[in-house]
Amino acid sequence: MRYFFTSSLFIGALGQWLTGYFAYNALTRLRFNLGYDVTPAPWFFRLRNFFGEDITPPGFDEPAMVLATLFSLIGFLLCSGVLTDWLKMCAGQRPHLTHGAQGKPEWTRYINVDVNHKVIGIQYGMSSIFILLVGGLLAILFRLELAMPGLQFLDGDSYNTLFSAHGIIMIAAIFAGVGAMTNYLGPVMVGASDMAFPRLNAFSYWVSVPSALILIAGIFMGGWDTGWVGYPTHSTSTTMAGVQMFLLGFYLNGFSSIASGLNLVVTTIYMRAKGMTYFRMPIFVWAALAASILQMTVTQTVGVALTMVVAERAIGLDFFGAIADPTLVAAGVPTGDPILFQHLFWFYSHPAVYVWILPGLGIISELLPVFSRKPLFGYKWIALSSVGIALVGSIVWAHHMLTSSMEPMWKVPFMISTLFVAVPTGVKFFSWVATIWEGKMRFQTPMLFVLGAISVFLLGGLSGPILGTIATDMHLHDSYFVVGHFHATIFGGFVFPFFAAIYYWYPKMTGRMYNEALGKLHFWIMVPGFWVMSLMQMRVGMQGMRRRIADYGPDLGIAAEQALITVATLAIGWSILIMLYNLVSSARSAEKAPANPWGSRSPEFQSPSPLPEFNYDAPITVVGDPYDYGIEDATYVVVPGAAGD
Amino acid sequence: MSNHKNNSSNTVHFSIIGVLIVVCTLAVYTILTGAVPFTDISIGYGLFEIPQAASAQAQPIDWLFDAHFWLIAFLFAVIVVPLLYSIVVFRQEEGDETDAPHIHGNTALEIAWTVVPLIFVAAFIVWGWQSYFAVLAPSDNEVTIRAQAYKWDWDFYYPEHDNMFSKSIVVPVGQPVLLEMQSRDVIHAFWVPAFRVKQDVFPYDTNALEKNFANADYSSNYDHYKPQIMRFTPIEEGVFRVRCAEICGTSHYAMLAHVFVLSQADYDLWVAGEYKLPADPDFLNAQPGDGYYLDELDDYLNGTGEFDPSAGGDEEPAVEVEDESAAVDGTDES
């Protein structure tokens, strides 16, 4: 307990809360004294209670809330100590990187600022699972509401808050999960001892924590009803006060993305082991590299878009035309255009989807050869298809706006580019099938999740082109079909591979083996549950159910399907609790795992479990190709003094 | 395993898989649409059933839907059949710890599965293009209806009938309609699932709009008037629900309106103010979940007559309603 209360996590969160609290107090008092119509108050929590009842005090001050939220982030960063080294550098000192637990128990490393990439990776992983649970709980709440027609226990505002928060909180969880995989695996797979910029790496993680806390706090501090997209002019005019917390939490999370993307790109380019050419890297590194390049190049535009909404709300700048001044209009000054936001937003948010799924697809490509005992079919094609997806995926953004007020002619090029995404994605699918073909497959839990991922991602992929052609999208746009399609791509492209990765590298991370029977139970509940959920979501969308609605009429005849979706959602929720139990209990008491339980050729499995502080005791050398299964004596890496085989 | 034996066993494998892919494609298509391909047989349940089409624009769209269902069925089969076949046939045998054959790739195959999908993509670009412009295409005798969307309701105006105001869209069957839509506050979207078409409604220049609302006059030209346009031609008589499809706040889920598609005679009567739509607020504002709503709507659909809110369910009034509509038709002819 003592260690917890002195951890970066606890002190940071406390500092964040106190900074926000006092900043709001001071700012409202200042503005009150300057003559603004605000109520000076020290307490800005609980603007809306959990049942959606608005208890915002009169004189609530939104500009002060924005500044207080920004201050609260700085409070977290200063109190957690992640900035300490940089501040010392500013003061002319030369702080050394510290390694290890500093005399405390080993587990305390995971709740303190630590620069080791494996610790940061596991920190990301634990955050990801925690935030996934929060987001999943929100989903289960509103799925229970949707199980029957009629409003049972939520009203419009609380439903809107729940689904909006579910969206953005899950996105925060996915970014954390991507961070977990790329941070833990990236450096060790290229044979490096750590990331290129360890302090920046720690900063990436520790800035994502307070931004996730801001998002979660936003639910209770007013809530918001804009969805995760936050389109103006709704987001600029909604009276639900939590919208600023949503915008800022989303915005601040972007810092994490940009910095960690940059870090991985530099690490991959400059820190590869001797002999590891680009086409000898494990395939996951290619996927992580493509995702990281996207992350560090497109995130900025959503930052711009969100800043514009924050500014339009807080200080009245007019970007999107909602609050056009009549005198300006009379003078012929053009007002803003709400579609500007949609372009900026989707220019980031579509590629962001590829940031989430590319590492997952990399995990699929990485694990299939190991469990099929066959080389990865068409390594170069799969590697380049990741880059191809990233490139084509950057020019398809307006397919989210096929029913918007864009000029009809401008929708056509985006339909064309969207359909082209099918080509590199198809290369991946066909190569996976060819890898499995004649493979002597072993069906341990990671392989099951990889196969589940392929089946679910196939569901998501096949439901894509029908949304890409404009005419059919006119029917399906903003329907529940999109919800089904999106969840299939994200479960298939991120959630299933992430779980496969957790099971696969669990012995490497903890040195112990998870419980195989519980792992299989998790799989056999989750896969059918997901298929039922996703197919039924697509079905009700086809029949005319809109997305983001708190209630639906019995006139659509979809009540039975809705009940089924809710049951399937609950099944998925329970299966994830099984995984959690498995991971926690196995970490304490399971048998010790060997260094290479899967017979993998990947470099990290040639080093002991858990990995040493600097991954390898001496620099490794790459002398062959990564996936030469089926050739005896084929060597990929030479690890000096390797334990085990 | 000798090379020769390997080749011949591969031939067997590929033959079986070829047959299975064909069977699987047909089966998936049947499950998706509920119709057995190349026959008139229906299995009564299609996973991806779409509502009965009620507009002329639905025809090219549904054709494209059908093409997509074929694509989905075929690609599903192409991936899943070899996948499951490998899992069943090639899986690790008990106690076999050796590796599988060393096959690291095949450039010809890679080029094939890059180029063949490109042909599919090209086909769908052409079909997508054609169907889109078929949906957009204007007709000769369009009637313009102006829609105003706001939180959380719709207003409609008929510029060709002196800006007549209506809470519902009323159109004669077969009449091409040009919807000019504007939002007063946030982005909404107009969607009637049976018509297949959807258009977001943007709040462009809300100031000019309000000025105009005061006069209920759209004839004046002002620079900022930029409505979103959508076309539909109803081909079925009946009542259809308009659903707002863009999240717009608290009561987004209940932002509904109705499209009444009447016969030409009934429509003329309605324009003359002699044909009463169900004006009862309980009917038009009925929330999803109000039990009586559907039955009443059915009565209305079957009867195309006046709506009697006191009548409960599908009891006798249905007959009464039919009589009334007959009487109404009579006055129309005289």
Side-chain angles (χ1 to χ4, degrees):
Chain A
M1 245 339 146
R2 180 164 63 93
Y3 294 117
F4 178 74
F5 287 123
T6 55
S7 67
S8 300
L9 182 66
F10 180 79
I11 294 179
L14 188 68
Q16 180 179 21
W17 189 80
L18 287 174
T19 319
Y21 179 97
F22 286 115
Y24 184 79
N25 189 4
L27 287 164
T28 47
R29 271 172 213 288
L30 179 69
R31 277 165 57 85
F32 178 75
N33 292 338
L34 290 173
Y36 288 92
D37 181 22
V38 299
T39 306
W43 184 251
F44 65 107
F45 280 76
R46 286 168 57 89
L47 300 175
R48 192 175 289 268
N49 68 19
F50 193 71
F51 298 99
E53 203 178 323
D54 193 351
I55 48 173
T56 310
F60 163 72
D61 190 21
E62 197 171 299
M65 186 191 191
V66 171
L67 280 175
T69 307
L70 290 173
F71 279 127
S72 82
L73 177 96
I74 296 169
F76 185 103
L77 294 176
L78 286 174
C79 293
S80 67
V82 68
L83 300 180
T84 309
D85 276 6
W86 286 340
L87 292 174
K88 282 181 184 167
M89 288 179 196
C90 293
Q93 300 175 23
R94 292 193 168 202
H96 294 289
L97 283 175
T98 51
H99 297 282
Q102 310 295 321
K104 295 177 195 166
E106 189 67 16
W107 63 269
T108 59
R109 291 185 77 178
Y110 300 104
I111 54 173
N112 280 304
V113 172
D114 198 293
V115 292
N116 186 293
H117 77 97
K118 295 184 293 299
V119 174
I120 293 171
I122 292 170
Q123 284 173 335
Y124 268 122
M126 294 196 300
S127 305
S128 174
I129 291 174
F130 174 76
I131 306 172
L132 273 176
L133 288 177
V134 174
L137 184 68
L138 301 176
I140 282 169
L141 282 176
F142 69 72
R143 269 320 311 177
L144 288 174
E145 169 61 50
L146 285 174
M148 279 185 288
L151 289 172
Q152 280 84 35
F153 64 99
L154 297 175
D155 62 8
D157 280 344
S158 50
Y159 178 89
N160 288 346
T161 297
L162 284 178
F163 86 75
S164 304
H166 167 72
I168 192 67
I169 285 174
M170 281 305 197
I171 287 164
I174 294 169
F175 271 119
V178 168
M181 294 191 281
T182 54
N183 269 288
Y184 189 88
L185 299 174
V188 69
M189 277 184 164
V190 299
S193 58
D194 206 326
M195 280 282 196
F197 309 116
R199 291 188 185 89
L200 185 66
N201 201 18
F203 174 79
S204 305
Y205 171 70
W206 287 101
V207 80
S208 77
V209 175
S211 56
L213 290 178
I214 289 171
L215 287 175
I216 294 172
I219 303 171
F220 303 100
M221 293 169 56
W224 70 98
D225 57 353
T226 61
W228 81 279
V229 295
Y231 281 178
T233 54
H234 182 41
S235 59
T236 49
S237 64
T238 180
T239 54
M240 294 184 78
V243 68
Q244 290 283 17
M245 304 286 275
F246 151 65
L247 295 165
L248 291 167
F250 194 168
Y251 175 80
L252 297 170
N253 215 359
F255 284 111
S256 168
S257 289
I258 296 170
S260 65
L262 174 97
N263 218 337
L264 193 96
V265 170
V266 176
T267 307
T268 311
I269 292 176
Y270 287 107
M271 298 179 70
R272 277 169 291 129
K274 187 162 176 274
M276 186 176 279
T277 59
Y278 281 109
F279 286 113
R280 278 181 173 179
M281 298 192 299
I283 197 74
F284 173 80
V285 181
W286 268 101
L289 181 64
S292 298
I293 291 173
L294 273 183
Q295 233 175 334
M296 78 176 193
T297 48
V298 296
T299 311
Q300 291 81 352
T301 64
V302 81
V304 169
L306 296 170
T307 314
M308 287 159 102
V309 177
V310 170
E312 179 157 341
R313 283 188 69 92
I315 53 177
L317 296 178
D318 179 12
F319 297 109
F320 305 117
I323 49 162
D325 186 338
T327 52
L328 293 179
V329 173
V333 176
T335 59
D337 191 334
I339 205 159
L340 170 64
F341 177 89
Q342 298 189 13
H343 280 292
L344 290 172
F345 181 85
W346 289 115
F347 187 82
Y348 159 75
S349 293
H350 190 80
V353 176
Y354 294 110
V355 174
W356 310 333
I357 65 168
L358 280 174
L361 304 185
I363 296 284
I364 297 176
S365 306
E366 184 70 42
L367 265 55
L368 273 183
V370 180
F371 288 93
S372 305
R373 313 308 302 164
K374 253 189 85 199
L376 182 64
F377 194 93
Y379 171 96
K380 281 186 185 175
W381 290 80
I382 293 190
L384 293 175
S385 75
S386 290
V387 180
I389 290 177
L391 286 176
V392 182
S394 300
I395 53 166
V396 300
W397 74 89
H399 71 205
H400 295 268
M401 301 152 62
L402 291 182
T403 64
S404 75
S405 66
M406 266 172 84
E407 284 298 317
M409 272 309 292
W410 273 112
K411 294 174 183 171
V412 175
F414 289 99
M415 170 180 82
I416 294 171
S417 60
T418 301
L419 291 174
F420 271 108
V421 177
V423 176
T425 316
V427 168
K428 280 200 194 293
F429 270 112
F430 292 126
S431 303
W432 292 334
V433 171
T435 304
I436 291 173
W437 184 256
E438 287 192 81
K440 295 182 176 177
M441 274 173 279
R442 289 109 204 249
F443 298 103
Q444 284 117 324
T445 307
M447 179 60 164
L448 289 179
F449 272 93
V450 164
L451 293 173
I454 294 176
S455 83
V456 168
F457 192 63
L458 182 68
L459 193 63
L462 292 182
S463 55
I466 205 167
L467 292 164
T469 49
I470 307 169
T472 42
D473 186 62
M474 285 174 130
H475 180 59
L476 296 175
H477 190 88
D478 273 332
S479 78
Y480 233 63
F481 189 90
V482 179
V483 178
H485 162 74
F486 179 76
H487 281 83
T489 50
I490 298 306
F491 267 73
F494 171 76
V495 176
F496 277 93
F498 182 48
F499 290 170
I502 288 177
Y503 285 117
Y504 181 73
W505 278 284
Y506 187 82
K508 194 53 50 187
M509 288 186 280
T510 61
R512 293 176 192 273
M513 203 62 186
Y514 62 85
N515 184 319
E516 188 71 37
L518 283 178
K520 284 183 171 155
L521 182 67
H522 171 200
F523 174 81
W524 286 112
I525 296 175
M526 191 163 157
V527 159
F530 184 82
W531 268 77
V532 169
M533 182 183 96
S534 193
L535 284 174
M536 287 300 132
Q537 285 173 335
M538 292 180 192
R539 172 178 168 79
V540 297
M542 280 279 181
Q543 301 211 319
M545 173 156 167
R546 304 161 284 161
R547 66 192 293 196
R548 297 170 177 149
I549 52 172
D551 192 18
Y552 48 93
D555 52 326
L556 287 173
I558 52 172
E561 284 89 346
Q562 293 287 356
L564 206 55
I565 297 172
T566 302
V567 171
T569 311
L570 290 171
I572 295 170
W574 280 111
S575 74
I576 288 172
L577 291 183
I578 292 172
M579 175 183 84
L580 219 57
Y581 170 78
N582 190 356
L583 298 184
V584 172
S585 68
S586 302
R588 292 185 164 191
S589 54
E591 58 185 287
K592 287 255 186 290
N596 191 357
W598 316 114
S600 168
R601 294 169 51 83
S602 198
E604 74 272 20
F605 281 103
Q606 319 311 323
S607 197
S609 296
L611 286 167
E613 180 75 18
F614 299 107
N615 300 339
Y616 305 100
D617 295 331
I620 62 170
T621 315
V622 174
V623 294
D625 288 324
Y627 299 106
D628 273 343
Y629 295 97
I631 298 181
E632 288 204 17
D633 307 329
T635 313
Y636 175 37
V637 284
V638 178
V639 181
D645 44 9
Chain B
M1 196 183 280
S2 78
N3 207 14
H4 174 71
K5 191 180 165 192
N6 200 359
N7 279 344
S8 68
S9 71
N10 262 344
T11 314
V12 174
H13 290 315
F14 289 137
S15 312
I16 298 172
I17 280 182
V19 174
L20 286 177
I21 284 176
V22 173
V23 173
C24 182
T25 304
L26 298 175
V28 172
Y29 180 85
T30 309
I31 292 168
L32 289 182
T33 62
V36 182
F38 312 120
T39 66
D40 294 332
I41 305 166
S42 165
I43 59 168
Y45 181 93
L47 190 63
F48 285 179
E49 273 169 324
I50 19 184
Q52 181 77 36
S55 79
Q57 280 71 15
Q59 197 251 335
I61 294 178
D62 284 1
W63 186 89
L64 191 60
F65 265 122
D66 199 56
H68 274 294
F69 292 149
W70 275 113
L71 180 76
I72 291 174
F74 174 67
L75 289 180
F76 183 86
V78 164
I79 301 293
V80 167
V81 166
L83 198 70
L84 288 179
Y85 189 87
S86 312
I87 289 174
V88 173
V89 175
F90 300 123
R91 59 189 306 162
Q92 178 196 26
E93 283 163 32
E94 199 77 39
D96 180 5
E97 292 298 329
T98 58
D99 282 355
H102 179 84
I103 307 167
H104 61 81
N106 182 328
T107 307
L109 212 50
E110 296 279 359
I111 291 172
W113 62 49
T114 308
V115 172
V116 174
L118 276 174
I119 298 168
F120 280 93
V121 166
F124 274 87
I125 287 171
V126 173
W127 294 335
W129 184 304
Q130 285 173 342
S131 54
Y132 179 48
F133 285 96
V135 172
L136 290 184
S139 307
D140 293 337
N141 54 339
E142 274 171 355
V143 60
T144 304
I145 299 175
R146 293 197 164 119
Q148 301 288 339
Y150 54 95
K151 289 179 182 176
W152 291 276
D153 209 349
W154 301 85
D155 287 349
F156 301 100
Y157 296 87
Y158 282 70
E160 282 153 41
H161 295 299
D162 199 19
N163 268 329
M164 183 170 62
F165 168 77
S166 172
K167 286 303 283 182
S168 307
I169 294 181
V170 184
V171 280
V173 66
Q175 167 68 56
V177 176
L178 171 67
L179 264 184
E180 289 186 3
M181 299 186 283
Q182 272 275 42
S183 166
R184 291 188 212 166
D185 37 42
V186 303
I187 303 172
H188 301 279
F190 184 101
W191 183 27
V192 178
F195 294 168
R196 302 287 187 274
V197 279
K198 184 184 288 123
Q199 173 63 49
D200 293 359
V201 186
F202 275 62
Y204 284 124
D205 193 22
T206 44
N207 266 291
L209 197 68
E210 264 170 40
K211 195 171 61 192
N212 236 40
F213 251 86
N215 310 331
D217 172 19
Y218 288 90
S219 53
S220 64
N221 276 326
Y222 49 91
D223 299 339
H224 298 296
Y225 186 58
K226 190 181 166 192
Q228 278 80 73
I229 287 172
M230 196 187 102
R231 291 187 168 85
F232 68 90
T233 310
I235 53 169
E236 295 273 335
E237 286 184 38
V239 186
F240 303 94
R241 269 195 159 171
V242 179
R243 298 159 195 279
C244 172
E246 186 66 60
I247 175 71
C248 56
T250 312
S251 296
H252 163 58
Y253 65 95
M255 185 168 163
L256 308 168
H258 292 88
V259 180
F260 291 89
V261 182
L262 307 177
S263 66
Q264 184 65 45
D266 285 348
Y267 176 73
D268 292 341
L269 283 176
W270 177 76
V271 171
E274 292 169 24
Y275 185 93
K276 275 181 82 79
L277 294 172
D280 174 45
D282 284 345
F283 177 86
L284 284 180
N285 297 330
Q287 295 300 311
D290 294 356
Y292 72 93
Y293 182 81
L294 254 192
D295 293 338
E296 299 303 316
L297 201 62
D298 277 350
D299 280 355
Y300 194 84
L301 279 169
N302 297 331
T304 59
E306 273 191 56
F307 174 71
D308 179 7
S310 63
D314 33 27
E315 291 160 20
E316 280 180 30
V319 183
E320 220 176 283
V321 165
E322 261 178 23
D323 287 349
E324 263 176 304
S325 71
V328 168
D329 284 344
T331 49
D332 177 47
E333 279 169 16
S334 62

